[in-house]
Amino acid sequence: MTITEPLVLGIESSCDETGVGIVRGHTLLADALASSVDEHARFGGVVPEVASRAHLEALVPTLHRALDEAGVTLADIDAIAVTAGPGLAGALLVGVAGAKGLALAAEKPIYGVNHLAAHVAVDTLEHGPLPEPAIALLVSGGHSSLLRVDNLAKGVTPLGATIDDAAGEAFDKVARLLGMPFPGGPPIDRAARDGDPLSISFPRGLTGPRDLVEHRFDFSFSGLKTAVARWVEARERSGEPVPVNDVAAAFQDAVCDVLTMKAIDACRAEGIETLVLGGGVAANSRLKVMAAERAAKYGITVRVPRPKLCTDNGAMVAALGSHLVAAGARPSKLDFPADSAMPLTVVGV
Amino acid sequence: MLVVDTATPAVTAALVEVGSDAVRLVGARAAVDGRAHGELLAPQVDAVLAEAGVKPRDLGAVVAGVGPGPFTGLRVGLMTAAVFQAGLGIPAYGVCTLDALGARTGGKALVATDARRREVYWAVYADGSPLTGPAVDKPADIADRLTTYGVTTAVGEGAQRYADVLGITPGAALYPDPLALAELAAERIRAKAPTEPLTPLYLRRPDAVEPAARKAALSPAEQSEAGAKLPAGRR
């Protein structure tokens, strides 16, 4: 069965966002979201059990909102897609159980899909079909990866990834250090607008001559986080005020500098002219500007979905599901597991 | 009517028919695997429906065991039941999983299931009806209370595993009988009672600790020096 403009309902529950999205082909019809982020804030990070409990409570109300928003019924849907991994095991399982139950109840095919590939696919809802091959930079609180996308329906090739903290994790930790709320991305982005990025020089991880041979497309943000912590602590101990805006701006520039430099390097090394950004950190305003400036020099086109589509949501899962259905991919069997460490080479299970 | 329970390692799916005075089991599947609820439940629901030649849209209600049980597995059954409710527009009813085991006991009986972490989910029943609410405790901590209640029999995997500590010879029943789950919801089904939120009986708070105060990033020597000089990095 091949449908060119399939109506697909996508369910996302890999972290702290419960998302249900509905798309028809590349057209976004609904993107309903419930977040447990406020429940995690006082812990400084996502607590898996808290997230799992929230998914169970939120999924059905979010499903109803998505169907209302799209103006469709379950009977109209051609297929159901769900994030099968990677992510928090217990959280993933709630969405997977919900999607399987829905597929059974409504007698629809189900597609268990890769969360990271969905972050790439979501851009098609905003900018149309993705030219292939493309390079994708996926940066969030849980992931920092550079990928080569030759055929999104078949699998993507990992070029590099973080060897320690994810980029978003570094934002969260530095935000906490500066007394900002969780998640740290938005407050750092805001503070950085009033800061001088050149006032402090923070290290760029894995950019030394040897690193560029052994870890050309890998990232490291742990050293940067420690450098910021040391700088701030020294300031505090010397009794001087901490220039929060300057620290935020210098830190943010250090992250964005490495991410964009390596992403552009990957495009040039692979001879690819399309760079797509995805993940929560792709919502960072500085990252978008820096990527566009640097890409323009080499004639590379940068595609960045709007912020609400960069962070986790159900529409991205529906977008990838729709892509798979249109490509004639086989549906998943009902016994597929939630795979917290699902490899990028697997797009659909 | 569909029945699911994933509060124990027995991943249970069953189809029952609720008559005016009796509940009849049409078909049931229970695979015992405490770590694969997510993989096993949906195919089993599919199988019991297919075997009985029943379409999902023919279902009149869904009944789910709401625990207590290990969280991750428990949620699989409740999420499945909840989307059947939402997707088909049929009512959902929750039944305490321990009650289903307790309903098949006589006299003063303990129902104890495995709560992991060397604890049991438990409740005491008198002639099949609950005498205590469900709770989670270490077996050694409830042994004395069972004597006070005059408990003489015990069922459930927890009762079997901790028989020595509890001091009661366990009965054969380890897991909830889906027919018992259905019977406990039968009155609500016959009365066409409104659908219920399927609230899991977790009985434990999530493990989460609020972060401690910030750790020092500078060494003691650097800390004493910091008053005089800033580390490298300042241009």
Side-chain angles (χ1 to χ4, degrees), chain A:
Chain A
M1 175 190 71
T2 306
I3 309 169
T4 49
E5 294 263 282
L7 184 65
V8 177
L9 182 143
I11 296 177
E12 156 64 27
S13 74
S14 67
C15 192
D16 59 341
E17 316 279 357
T18 313
V20 180
I22 300 173
V23 306
R24 190 189 300 278
H26 296 304
T27 309
L28 176 65
L29 300 184
D31 182 18
L33 201 66
S35 179
S36 60
V37 65
D38 294 345
E39 295 174 57
H40 306 289
R42 69 193 169 104
F43 301 109
V46 174
V47 182
E49 178 60 22
V50 171
S52 301
R53 291 184 181 195
H55 286 308
L56 178 65
E57 284 181 32
L59 200 137
V60 167
T62 310
L63 168 71
H64 285 308
R65 276 199 287 133
L67 290 168
D68 288 349
E69 205 177 306
V72 301
T73 66
L74 267 182
D76 302 327
I77 300 282
D78 292 313
I80 288 162
V82 61
T83 298
L88 302 169
L92 285 167
L93 196 51
V94 178
V96 167
K100 286 178 178 179
L102 212 51
L104 269 173
E107 300 177 72
K108 304 291 181 185
I110 184 168
Y111 291 80
V113 305
N114 188 304
H115 177 81
L116 295 176
H119 270 305
V120 179
V122 73
D123 183 67
T124 61
L125 300 178
E126 192 141 345
H127 300 115
L130 184 70
E132 290 169 335
I135 295 291
L137 172 66
L138 298 187
V139 273
S140 70
H143 313 278
S144 299
S145 305
L146 262 175
L147 324 163
R148 181 189 161 108
V149 184
D150 286 288
N151 181 343
L152 193 52
K154 292 266 164 65
V156 295
T157 314
L159 300 176
T162 180
I163 60 167
D164 41 56
D165 290 350
E169 217 176 331
F171 271 90
D172 293 340
K173 288 174 179 171
V174 167
R176 194 171 152 234
L177 191 78
L178 298 176
M180 296 171 181
F182 171 86
I188 286 187
D189 199 340
R190 275 193 298 276
R193 282 174 210 162
D194 299 322
D196 176 4
L198 299 177
S199 61
I200 312 162
S201 165
F202 287 127
R204 269 63 172 160
L206 297 183
T207 56
R210 242 183 94 180
D211 295 327
L212 287 177
V213 176
E214 288 173 23
H215 291 288
R216 185 170 177 183
F217 300 127
D218 290 330
F219 303 107
S220 167
F221 297 108
S222 175
L224 169 61
K225 169 200 70 192
T226 305
V228 176
R230 288 170 57 84
W231 196 93
V232 168
E233 194 179 323
R235 265 287 172 133
E236 287 169 343
R237 286 187 188 277
S238 70
E240 290 180 63
V242 176
V244 170
N245 295 345
D246 288 346
V247 173
F251 159 76
Q252 177 174 275
D253 254 47
V255 174
C256 297
D257 186 19
V258 182
L259 288 174
T260 54
M261 185 190 83
K262 295 205 174 202
I264 300 293
D265 184 33
C267 290
R268 297 186 66 208
E270 303 278 324
I272 289 174
E273 289 169 355
T274 304
L275 172 64
V276 54
L277 307 189
V281 179
N284 181 275
S285 63
R286 183 76 183 122
L287 182 68
K288 278 186 279 196
V289 170
M290 210 188 269
E293 279 173 7
R294 292 182 172 182
K297 280 187 207 158
Y298 302 104
I300 295 163
T301 306
V302 181
R303 295 166 54 126
V304 193
R306 59 181 176 271
K308 194 172 182 252
L309 294 179
C310 285
T311 47
D312 292 349
N313 61 77
M316 64 190 236
V317 180
L320 181 54
S322 163
H323 189 74
L324 289 172
V325 173
R330 261 206 316 250
S332 309
K333 289 190 196 149
L334 277 174
D335 64 351
F336 70 86
D339 182 357
S340 60
M342 190 169 178
L344 268 160
T345 42
V346 179
V347 167
V349 296

Side-chain angles (χ1 to χ4, degrees), chain B residues 27-159:
Chain B
R29 291 269 182 126
V32 178
D33 185 339
R35 304 263 167 201
H37 295 81
E39 288 95 313
L40 295 172
L41 184 63
Q44 296 197 141
V45 171
D46 194 29
V48 292
L49 288 169
E51 278 166 12
V54 173
K55 290 280 181 198
R57 68 181 87 100
D58 300 330
L59 292 169
V62 56
V63 173
V66 295
F71 311 154
T72 303
L74 176 60
R75 278 189 286 264
V76 170
L78 295 185
M79 191 72 257
T80 304
V83 294
F84 265 79
Q85 185 282 317
L88 298 169
I90 56 176
Y93 304 108
V95 174
C96 170
T97 301
L98 301 181
D99 288 356
L101 272 154
R104 295 283 190 262
T105 61
K108 297 282 180 64
L110 165 73
V111 172
T113 59
D114 190 0
R116 299 192 182 149
R117 303 183 188 183
R118 297 166 187 269
E119 293 189 330
V120 289
Y121 295 115
W122 68 282
V124 173
Y125 292 79
D127 295 323
S129 296
L131 199 62
T132 69
V136 60
D137 286 291
K138 293 202 184 319
D141 295 344
I142 63 171
D144 285 350
R145 278 187 271 174
L146 299 180
T147 315
T148 314
Y149 284 121
V151 169
T152 51
T153 58
V155 295
E157 200 185 22

